[in-house]
Amino acid sequence: MDAATRTLDLSVLPPEYRVAFEAQATRVAELETINRRLEHLVAELNHVVHGRKSEKLDEDDRQLAFEDLEIAVAETRERKQAQAPGEDRPARKNVAQRNRGNLPEGLERIERVIEPDSLECPCGCGLMHKIGEDRSERLDIVPAQLRVIVTIRPKYACRACTDGVTQAPAPPWLVEGGLPTEGAIAQVLVSKYADHLPLYRQSQILARSGIDIHRSTLADWVGVAAFHLAPVVDRLAEHLKTSTKLFMDETTAPVLDPGRGRTKTGYLWALARDDRAWGGDDPPGVVYFYAPGRHGEHAENFLTGFDGILQVDGYQGYNRLTRPTRKGGSPITVAHCWAHARRKLREVFDRDGSEIAAEGLRRIAEIYAIEKDIRGTSPGQRLSARQARSAPLVAAFGTWLQVQRLRVSAKSRLGEKLAYINAHWQGLQTFLSDGRVEIDSNNVENLVRPIALNRKNALFAGHDEGGKAWGRIASLIETCKINGVEPFAWLKATLTAIANGHPQSRIDDLLPWNFKPSR
C-alpha cells in the first residue's frame, strides 16, 4: 500500500468525526514534541555525567546543571501528563521516590482529618462505623518566622520603708544592648558560612519581612561572634595538632585591597583530621587558617607543635617541613597524594590519548582497587594487605616510571608529568609503611570545597581580618557537619553558653563533637 492510499481524506468523514480526528492528531503531535524534548534533556544529562573529561563541568557547576536539567525534565513530564486524555492519564508512579517517607520524627505534625460528607449507609442501615484509616504525610514549609523576645524585669519596693528596690539582674547578651539573640546571630553565621549567603543578601531577605537591618549591622554581629568563638577554634586547632596524622591543603581566598581598589589573593590553609576510614577513636575536625600568601612559612607557623605524618598534594611549599631546620617541631613525614599523580596522567591522556599515560592510569587503578577492598578495616589489616598486595604493584610502577622517563623527552607535556610523579616518589610510598595513612588527600580536598562555594557567592573578603573570621567560623561549621552535628543548634547553644560566662577551664565541652542537643 503506497503513501497516497494510506492518506486519509478527511472530507469524507462526518463533521463530528473530523473534529475528533483533528483533535487527536494535534494531541499526538504535541506528545511527539514533548518526547523529543525529553530525549534531548536525557542526552544532556548523560553528557554531564559521561562526557569527555575536558568537556565536563567542575563539581559545583555540575550540580547547577543537574538542577536545571532535572527541573526541565520534571516540567516536560508534567506537561506530557496534562496532554493525555483524562481516562488514559497514567497514575503518577513515575514521580521520583527519593526521600519519600524520610521525615524526621521530631518534626511538628499537624493532623487534618477529612471526613466523608455523610456517614449514612447507602442501603439505609444507619450510621457506618470506623474500620480503619489511611494516613499520608507531606512536607510543608513555613518561611522563617521572626519574633521579638521582650524581657520584662519588674521592680519591687517596700511600702513601709525606703531601704531599696529589688529587681532581677538583666540576663547576659552576647551583643550588649544590641538587637539580636544568640539564635539570631547563629542564623546569620550559618546563612553566610554554611549556606553561602552574603550579608547584603541576608539584609534583603529580612527586608521582605519588614525588618530593616543594614548589612553593616549584620557584619558587626558576625565580628562579635568571631571574637568570642576564637578560643574555641584555637582549642580545636590544639586538639588536631596532638594527632599523629593530619591532612593539609590550601585554597585561594580573594581579599579586597583598599589601597589599590581591587582584590589581592589571600589563602585559607585547611588542617584536617579524618580517621574514619580505619576506625580511629579521634573525631574528625578541620581548622582553616588565613594567610596573605601561599609561602611555605605559613604552613610551618600553622603546624607549630605538630609532629607526625602530614598528607598533602605536591605543592613544594611543604618541603621545608621535612628539613632538620624546621621551626616549631621535628621534621615531618610527608605522605603524597596518588590522586594528584593520577590526575597528571589523566590530563595527558585526555588531550592526546597517550598510550604511556593510559598504561600509568591502569597501573594506578590496580593499586586503588586494593584500597577499595580494605577500606574500613583496622590499620594493622590495611598495612598487611598493602605490604602483600600493593607494595609489588608500587615497585613495578616505579620501575615502569623510570623506563618511560628515559623514553620520553623531559620537555614534553608527558615528560613533565612523569617528572612530577618522580619528584614525589618517596612521599607516594608512605602509605605502604603505615596503615593509618590514606592513599590520597581527597579527604581534605572535600573540606576545601565549601570555601570555594563561599568564594563564588561572596566574591571576596573585605579585609585580611575578614579572611581570618571567614576561616574561624568555617572551621566550626564544617567540623559540625563532618561530625553529624547541626551547625545552627551548636552555634546557638555555644554562643548562649559563652554569653552566660562559660568557664575557660571547660572549653573542651564546647567542641562540636561534644555537643549534646537538648530535646
Side-chain angles (χ1 to χ4, degrees):
M1 184 181 296
D2 57 22
T5 306
R6 291 197 304 268
T7 302
L8 179 62
D9 185 2
L10 299 182
S11 62
V12 301
L13 295 176
E16 61 274 17
Y17 290 149
R18 188 185 312 136
V19 172
F21 184 89
E22 290 175 345
Q24 190 67 24
T26 300
R27 187 176 297 114
V28 169
E30 291 173 345
L31 289 173
E32 288 178 347
T33 300
I34 291 172
N35 280 335
R36 284 195 296 271
R37 175 166 170 75
L38 279 172
E39 291 171 358
H40 175 73
L41 292 170
V42 169
E44 287 194 24
L45 280 169
N46 283 330
H47 181 74
V48 170
V49 177
H50 305 295
R52 289 171 57 100
K53 180 72 175 180
S54 59
E55 298 172 349
K56 285 186 179 180
L57 304 172
D58 63 32
E59 178 65 23
D60 303 329
D61 292 337
R62 185 161 59 249
Q63 293 301 323
L64 291 175
F66 276 137
E67 289 175 11
D68 288 339
L69 284 170
E70 288 170 343
I71 288 171
V73 168
E75 179 187 357
T76 304
R77 184 182 293 118
E78 191 71 18
R79 184 181 297 116
K80 182 177 181 179
Q81 288 184 332
Q83 292 290 346
E87 64 275 10
D88 297 331
R89 190 169 299 166
R92 297 180 60 113
K93 293 182 180 180
N94 58 349
V95 177
Q97 297 296 309
R98 294 185 296 271
N99 298 327
R100 289 301 297 271
N102 188 25
L103 297 176
E105 293 183 2
L107 286 182
E108 177 187 10
R109 258 67 174 180
I110 299 176
E111 294 189 354
R112 181 176 61 179
V113 180
I114 304 177
E115 296 281 5
D117 292 336
S118 173
L119 297 180
E120 292 285 345
C121 179
C123 62
C125 300
L127 291 177
M128 293 184 286
H129 66 277
K130 184 177 179 179
I131 60 172
E133 64 183 14
D134 291 329
R135 299 175 70 94
S136 60
E137 293 189 344
R138 295 187 302 158
L139 178 65
D140 189 29
I141 297 178
V142 179
Q145 295 181 346
L146 306 177
R147 61 184 185 180
V148 178
I149 304 297
V150 181
T151 302
I152 301 173
R153 296 186 297 133
K155 295 180 180 180
Y156 296 91
C158 178
R159 294 181 181 274
C161 68
T162 58
D163 288 344
V165 176
T166 297
Q167 184 182 35
W173 297 354
L174 196 72
V175 179
E176 291 295 339
L179 284 177
T181 65
E182 287 67 43
I185 298 173
Q187 179 61 32
V188 172
L189 295 176
V190 168
S191 296
K192 178 173 174 59
Y193 296 106
D195 300 330
H196 318 297
L197 273 175
L199 296 181
Y200 77 89
R201 293 184 190 168
Q202 294 190 50
S203 177
Q204 293 170 348
I205 293 171
L206 289 169
R208 292 203 298 268
S209 298
I211 308 297
D212 184 16
I213 299 180
H214 194 266
R215 172 198 53 77
S216 60
T217 301
L218 298 178
D220 182 68
W221 298 357
V222 172
V224 171
F227 169 78
H228 287 286
L229 290 170
V232 183
V233 180
D234 293 341
R235 179 61 187 133
L236 174 59
E238 291 174 4
H239 202 288
L240 294 184
K241 287 191 284 187
T242 61
S243 306
T244 55
K245 183 185 71 68
L246 293 174
F247 297 90
M248 197 168 202
D249 197 7
E250 74 289 334
T251 188
T252 56
V255 175
L256 188 64
D257 189 354
R260 297 188 298 167
R262 55 182 180 178
T263 60
K264 61 182 180 180
T265 302
Y267 285 84
L268 283 172
W269 299 68
L271 183 65
R273 177 178 64 203
D274 192 348
D275 298 337
R276 291 174 292 180
W278 49 270
D281 294 330
D282 291 329
V286 60
V287 172
Y288 302 97
F289 300 94
Y290 173 78
R294 197 189 182 198
H295 197 275
E297 65 180 344
H298 298 301
E300 194 171 38
N301 292 334
F302 298 145
L303 288 168
T304 296
F306 170 70
D307 294 308
I309 298 174
L310 190 67
Q311 297 211 237
V312 294
D313 57 20
Y315 175 49
Q316 295 181 351
Y318 295 115
N319 293 345
R320 65 190 295 144
L321 301 173
T322 65
R323 300 169 186 164
T325 56
R326 178 210 166 190
K327 299 176 182 178
S330 304
I332 284 176
T333 300
V334 169
H336 282 125
C337 174
W338 276 92
H340 279 76
R342 179 174 56 186
R343 201 171 298 161
K344 298 295 181 181
L345 295 176
R346 173 63 67 179
E347 290 172 1
V348 176
F349 178 77
D350 286 343
R351 180 175 178 178
D352 53 28
S354 166
E355 293 184 3
I356 295 176
E359 174 65 14
L361 291 171
R362 185 190 65 77
R363 289 173 177 268
I364 294 176
E366 291 177 347
I367 302 172
Y368 265 91
I370 298 172
E371 290 300 307
K372 182 178 180 181
D373 289 343
I374 63 177
R375 183 169 182 80
T377 60
S378 68
Q381 291 173 307
R382 281 158 55 111
L383 181 58
S384 297
R386 286 170 175 174
Q387 290 177 341
R389 300 170 59 190
S390 302
L393 295 178
V394 172
F397 185 95
T399 301
W400 171 86
L401 176 65
Q402 299 308 322
V403 171
Q404 303 311 317
R405 291 190 68 210
L406 294 175
R407 294 177 54 193
V408 177
S409 169
K411 295 182 179 180
S412 67
R413 182 177 173 84
L414 177 58
E416 292 175 352
K417 306 303 183 184
L418 295 176
Y420 169 91
I421 298 174
N422 182 71
H424 300 91
W425 186 242
Q426 182 176 351
L428 287 171
Q429 298 179 80
T430 303
F431 82 107
L432 296 175
S433 58
D434 194 321
R436 300 166 304 163
V437 175
E438 300 302 322
I439 192 174
D440 54 39
S441 56
N442 287 348
N443 297 51
V444 71
E445 287 196 7
N446 292 334
L447 292 171
V448 166
R449 185 168 293 120
I451 300 297
L453 280 172
N454 209 41
R455 183 174 61 219
K456 280 188 175 183
N457 286 274
L459 301 181
F460 53 80
H463 191 273
D464 284 333
E465 292 302 316
K468 293 177 183 178
W470 180 358
R472 196 175 295 158
I473 306 302
S475 300
L476 299 171
I477 286 178
E478 294 306 318
T479 298
C480 281
K481 288 162 63 175
I482 59 178
N483 280 280
V485 174
E486 203 285 300
F488 171 80
W490 178 85
L491 278 167
K492 179 180 178 181
T494 301
L495 292 174
T496 300
I498 292 172
N500 286 316
H502 188 87
Q504 178 72 21
S505 60
R506 291 174 47 210
I507 194 169
D508 280 9
D509 295 347
L510 300 181
L511 294 174
W513 53 71
N514 291 326
F515 177 62
K516 294 179 177 58
S518 58
R519 290 284 181 182

